[in-house]
Amino acid sequence: MPASPEPMTEIVPKALRARRLGIDTHQEAVVYMRADCPVCRAEGFNTHTRVRVRSRSASTIATINHVVSDLLGPLEVGLSEIAWERLAVSDGEEITFSHPAPLDSLSLLRSKIYGNRFSGRSVAAIIDDIGAGRYSDIHLSSFITACAARGLDNREMLELTRAMVASGDRLEWGAGPVVDKHCIGGLPGNRTTPIIVSIVAACGLTMPKTSSRAITSPAGTADTMETMAPVDLDLPEMRRVVEREGGCVVWGGAVRLSPIDDTLIRIERALDVDSEGQLVASVLSKKTAAGSTHLVLDLPVGPTAKVRSEADAERLEAALAFVASSLGMKLVCVRSDGRQPVGRGIGPALEAHDVLAVLRNETDAPVDLRDRALALAGALLELGATADEGTGVALAAQVLADGRAWRKFQAICEAQGGMRMPPVAAHRQVVTADRAGRIASIDNRATAKAAKLAGAPAAKAAGLVLHVRLHQQVAEGEPLFTLHAETPGELAYALDYVATHPSAIAIEAIR
């Protein structure tokens, strides 16, 4: 009887001395070697080869880049910042290299690329390899593109969601409903979350809100909240805040709730891709992992929003409802007007100023932001059985008007590490109407891009402030919006874009 084949093992590793090069490669570990170093010669390592790297205390998968200068000696290897962090090495320490085990899940990914369905087992294998750091950014891009181009059916979305939940921690909050809210996105300035959390928590419901940073927008909820309070809380800190105040608004990336989602979002941001299947899995995996039992989803619908038509909204609602029901979550979808930005500010600090104006009941607070927040808060109060059907909005309005929501928001900020005021940009430029007429359209994507070119979200005070609304009449020379930037160069960059894209805010003649 022939002997059983030996299991495949990694090739015996070779050693080089580590050097920290101070190169930021974000979340992809990169190592730099001379093409003529003994390890590359012996193992045939080329640029973009994936290798297993081991230090005395840790191990990771990294991508090789070749150095063709004298930056490194023949027995040295340079490490990017994330590789240095993961390996926990010191300068001059010897680290070893080997070929990693074959990445079998790539065949499952290729099957999807060729038009086949993902099974639950294949999705789990791919997500497991992504979580273990075995996928390079090229592999991740292929996975995201396959999911977008080939699409995911409801069963595939459910399996992807389950696999993403299993990749990280899960929170349990005990008895009673745990409520949450999410917006599908694509609508600049739609920063209702801090207002909703304050209202709902003031009414006694539990709302542990984990929010994302911007993917393709000028600000995510976490970016905006960060201008008013710390958001980088770990799980024990998050639990402490929620147990004390009933709610929080923290960055989801600082806690291990569906961490694969954050990995995929990083690639989606670079590709500027946000497919329906990934969207469903992203939203519901985070909510499930956070322990949410009741969820209200805001679906803005408009020609330049993420959801373009009522037919698209109906299809997305059906997918979300199927996955949420399969996970045991109660879900309500609220369609909203996505034809124009919400509030006045677009950008982290500018949106925060709008949020504060609503919470403080200031007379010039944006009415549309206030009304949208009340509608969603009311739906949550009814879903969580704190208000009878049809009375949620009235209760939310009362809590906002009498100051309970503002006091709760301040308490949440203090519990998260202390409240602070959003910054103000040093450079501003008003953009005016070149003729009289009526505002025919406001392009969400174009206004968002102008805000990003001004520096948002990295520059917290950057963005733009809208002075007009859809169908409003304007005179020639009347302000349309004001660009805010932290540097003159970024302001000039945004102004150049605005000058070549006058349709960002289209004006039609009045007949």
Side-chain angles (χ1 to χ4, degrees):
M1 182 176 179
S4 300
E6 292 292 325
M8 186 170 292
T9 58
E10 295 178 350
I11 295 173
V12 177
K14 307 296 182 181
L16 294 173
R17 295 192 302 272
R19 275 187 56 192
R20 185 176 190 173
L21 296 183
I23 299 174
D24 182 3
T25 56
H26 203 53
Q27 292 300 308
E28 182 171 21
V30 177
V31 295
Y32 301 86
M33 297 179 181
R34 286 173 54 135
D36 62 350
C37 81
V39 170
C40 284
R41 289 203 312 268
E43 305 297 342
F45 290 156
N46 297 310
T47 290
H48 283 165
T49 296
R50 298 283 282 173
V51 293
R52 169 68 66 181
V53 190
R54 289 187 174 90
S55 66
R56 286 194 297 262
S57 58
S59 169
T60 192
I61 299 287
T63 300
I64 289 180
N65 278 353
H66 276 171
V67 173
V68 294
S69 70
D70 293 329
L71 175 66
L72 296 170
L75 296 179
E76 291 182 319
V77 59
L79 272 61
S80 70
E81 287 297 286
I82 189 66
W84 188 271
E85 176 185 320
R86 289 176 182 171
L87 292 169
V89 292
S90 56
D91 267 317
E93 179 181 332
E94 283 197 340
I95 57 177
T96 59
F97 303 86
S98 61
H99 290 280
L103 198 52
D104 293 335
S105 70
L106 284 181
S107 65
L108 306 173
L109 173 54
R110 283 192 294 271
S111 177
K112 179 64 178 179
I113 291 172
Y114 290 129
N116 298 307
R117 291 182 66 257
F118 279 137
S119 68
R121 184 173 297 178
S122 62
V123 169
I126 291 170
I127 294 301
D128 182 63
D129 280 339
I130 293 174
R134 302 185 187 107
Y135 270 38
S136 69
D137 283 1
I138 294 173
H139 297 140
L140 291 169
S141 298
S142 298
F143 175 67
I144 289 166
T145 302
C147 292
R150 291 297 186 178
L152 302 178
D153 63 25
N154 285 352
R155 180 58 59 179
E156 289 174 300
M157 292 183 208
L158 175 59
E159 296 298 346
L160 177 58
T161 304
R162 284 174 169 160
M164 289 169 64
V165 172
S167 72
D169 297 326
R170 292 191 67 169
L171 292 176
E172 299 291 341
W173 300 97
V178 178
V179 302
D180 208 336
K181 164 265 173 190
H182 185 82
C183 177
I184 293 305
L187 205 56
N190 193 17
R191 209 53 58 214
T192 58
T193 292
I195 303 167
I196 293 168
V197 171
S198 302
I199 292 171
V200 169
C203 290
L205 286 173
T206 299
M207 189 168 179
K209 185 73 176 77
T210 60
S211 299
S212 63
R213 297 192 186 277
I215 302 176
T216 57
S217 69
T221 296
D223 300 309
T224 294
M225 186 67 184
E226 193 172 40
T227 69
M228 299 179 284
V231 296
D232 294 350
L233 277 63
D234 60 22
L235 283 177
E237 291 170 329
M238 177 183 171
R239 183 176 292 280
R240 174 185 56 77
V241 174
V242 174
E243 289 176 348
R244 173 175 158 183
E245 299 297 341
C248 66
V249 184
V250 302
W251 176 45
V255 293
R256 272 186 49 84
L257 303 178
S258 184
I260 298 298
D261 185 43
D262 300 304
T263 300
L264 297 179
I265 282 173
R266 176 174 62 85
I267 303 300
E268 288 173 331
R269 181 185 293 116
L271 293 174
D272 198 9
V273 168
D274 194 6
S275 68
E276 183 175 294
Q278 292 283 354
L279 185 154
V280 170
S282 172
V283 171
L284 295 182
S285 66
K286 281 287 176 68
K287 304 310 175 188
T288 301
S292 302
T293 59
H294 297 64
L295 175 64
V296 168
L297 275 175
D298 179 15
L299 272 69
V301 181
T304 58
K306 190 173 294 185
V307 181
R308 303 295 181 85
S309 67
E310 294 297 329
D312 290 341
E314 187 173 341
R315 185 181 66 253
L316 181 57
E317 281 185 20
L320 287 161
F322 172 82
V323 176
S325 176
S326 300
L327 296 171
M329 184 184 300
K330 293 186 177 180
L331 172 70
V332 170
C333 292
V334 178
R335 295 188 198 179
S336 55
D337 185 356
R339 294 175 299 165
Q340 62 182 328
V342 179
R344 291 187 291 264
I346 301 176
L350 297 173
E351 294 176 23
H353 287 296
D354 283 351
V355 167
L356 292 173
V358 171
L359 285 168
R360 291 167 169 168
N361 291 298
E362 295 176 4
T363 55
D364 63 344
V367 174
D368 59 336
L369 178 63
R370 175 185 181 277
D371 290 347
R372 189 176 293 251
L374 290 177
L376 295 169
L380 267 182
L381 292 172
E382 292 178 20
L383 187 63
T386 297
D388 294 332
E389 185 176 352
T391 66
V393 172
L395 175 58
Q398 180 183 350
V399 172
L400 180 64
D402 65 19
R404 278 181 285 169
W406 171 230
R407 290 192 293 274
K408 176 57 70 174
F409 180 74
Q410 293 177 88
I412 290 171
C413 288
E414 289 303 322
Q416 289 188 196
M419 188 169 180
R420 53 202 180 206
M421 292 305 297
V424 176
H427 304 275
R428 305 180 189 184
Q429 179 66 53
V430 177
V431 176
T432 60
D434 60 359
R435 59 196 176 100
R438 180 183 291 110
I439 304 298
S441 66
I442 300 177
D443 189 321
N444 289 311
R445 292 176 179 267
T447 51
K449 186 165 186 177
K452 288 192 288 183
L453 293 176
K460 298 297 186 185
L464 66 83
V465 173
L466 284 169
H467 303 305
V468 295
R469 307 300 298 168
L470 199 59
H471 306 313
Q472 178 181 330
Q473 292 186 21
V474 294
E476 182 179 354
E478 188 172 342
L480 298 177
F481 57 89
T482 300
L483 285 165
H484 292 233
E486 294 185 2
T487 67
E490 288 172 321
L491 182 61
Y493 198 17
L495 285 169
D496 285 344
Y497 174 79
V498 168
T500 57
H501 292 77
S503 61
I505 297 182
I507 301 173
E508 65 178 5
I510 300 174
R511 297 178 181 177

